[in-house]
Amino acid sequence: MADEVILLDFWLSMYGMRVKIALAEKGIEYDYKQEDLSNKSPLLLEANPIHKKIPVLIHNGKPVCESLIIVQYIDEVWNDKSPLLPSDPYQRAHARFWADFVDKKVSVVSRKLWTTKGEELEAGKNEFFETFKILEGELGDKPYFGGETFGFVDLSLVTFYSWFHAYEVFGNINIEAECPKIIAWAKRCLQKETVAKSLADQKKVYEALGQLRKIRGYE
């Protein structure tokens, strides 16, 4: 019997994009269900009653929540191809550390670029570049964060690239000028079809965030 795989998601979410990349890397067919986040479906509320957030992966009727946990689940269940986490326990812990850094730092500093203004925005820009320079240091001269092959940390971070154009316009910054290694790395990741097909279009993200800024009074 074939696995039944459902992804509850919203197209703008960089967290949902992570799961889409992982599923694409493993060649898994799935049913994609787009959520209306202002009117969440009964399925989403039942599958993730604690946080009530996307993405949620439902595998043979069992829900798995939180994007990085979902990606690790996918990697463990479909372990016959395209490993996303290293097999060595120390390297695996190292990858989890940096993916956690992306969740705890990059998410927070990136949000400031399109939701703040004035002094708060200026401070946010500095934090943004400090964070990405730390990531450039970790990347070093390697093609990918884990070395020669695309993996867990790359997948965790590259989905933010969909939002880079919006960050640059709303934050009045030039990411490539400050962090050229990150842009070169992102473009390398995008050469993979699994990544390119899973990321939202930068211009569409920018337009959607522009509307959201007006609705929420961030302008």
Side-chain angles (χ1 to χ4, degrees):
M1 185 179 131
D3 286 315
E4 183 193 41
V5 181
I6 300 168
L7 175 60
L8 309 183
D9 189 24
F10 181 64
W11 73 273
L12 193 59
S13 168
M14 66 271 287
Y15 306 107
M17 291 177 221
R18 289 170 170 176
V19 180
K20 285 158 79 172
I21 294 172
L23 291 167
E25 281 285 303
K26 300 289 187 176
I28 301 164
E29 291 186 11
Y30 61 98
D31 184 10
Y32 183 83
K33 292 188 184 293
Q34 173 96 339
E35 283 287 331
D36 175 357
L37 297 183
S38 60
N39 183 25
K40 296 172 184 176
S41 72
L43 182 58
L44 174 60
L45 298 176
E46 182 187 337
N48 190 0
I50 306 300
H51 296 302
K52 304 177 176 63
K53 289 180 180 176
I54 51 91
V56 177
L57 186 81
I58 304 174
H59 179 211
N60 293 334
K62 296 176 181 176
V64 185
C65 307
E66 298 294 310
S67 63
L68 292 182
I69 294 171
I70 296 170
V71 170
Q72 290 175 74
Y73 176 84
I74 290 168
D75 201 38
E76 289 173 15
V77 172
W78 291 278
N79 58 11
D80 56 333
K81 65 178 286 191
S82 303
L84 297 169
L85 277 151
S87 56
D88 176 76
Y90 177 75
Q91 290 177 357
R92 198 158 59 241
H94 189 79
R96 284 177 173 143
F97 172 86
W98 283 105
D100 185 64
F101 177 86
V102 171
D103 262 9
K104 287 186 175 148
K105 286 291 290 180
V106 176
S107 300
V108 174
V109 298
S110 299
R111 185 174 173 78
K112 290 180 183 177
L113 294 179
W114 66 277
T115 62
T116 64
K117 47 193 171 187
E119 288 182 11
E120 196 177 351
L121 175 58
E122 290 307 310
K125 291 183 198 180
N126 291 334
E127 283 182 67
F128 180 87
F129 285 124
E130 281 169 16
T131 301
F132 272 92
K133 281 182 172 152
I134 290 169
L135 286 162
E136 281 197 323
E138 170 58 20
L139 179 63
D141 296 322
K142 304 187 297 288
Y144 300 104
F145 280 93
E148 295 299 315
T149 54
F150 179 86
F152 190 56
V153 182
D154 305 292
L155 177 151
S156 303
L157 181 62
V158 76
T159 57
F160 285 85
Y161 185 70
S162 289
W163 291 51
F164 273 19
H165 176 64
Y167 296 157
E168 289 189 319
V169 176
F170 298 133
N172 191 25
I173 58 173
N174 183 328
I175 298 172
E176 188 165 21
E178 296 284 339
C179 299
K181 271 190 182 179
I182 287 292
I183 297 298
W185 158 83
K187 287 179 177 173
R188 195 174 305 123
C189 292
L190 276 166
Q191 288 171 7
K192 291 177 65 67
E193 188 180 4
T194 53
V195 176
K197 282 190 167 181
S198 302
L199 295 195
D201 179 78
Q202 286 197 351
K203 296 288 168 64
K204 287 182 180 174
V205 171
Y206 165 68
E207 288 165 9
L209 285 187
Q211 292 172 354
L212 205 54
R213 276 162 57 89
K214 285 177 186 169
I215 292 166
R216 294 189 179 175
Y218 292 147
E219 293 187 339

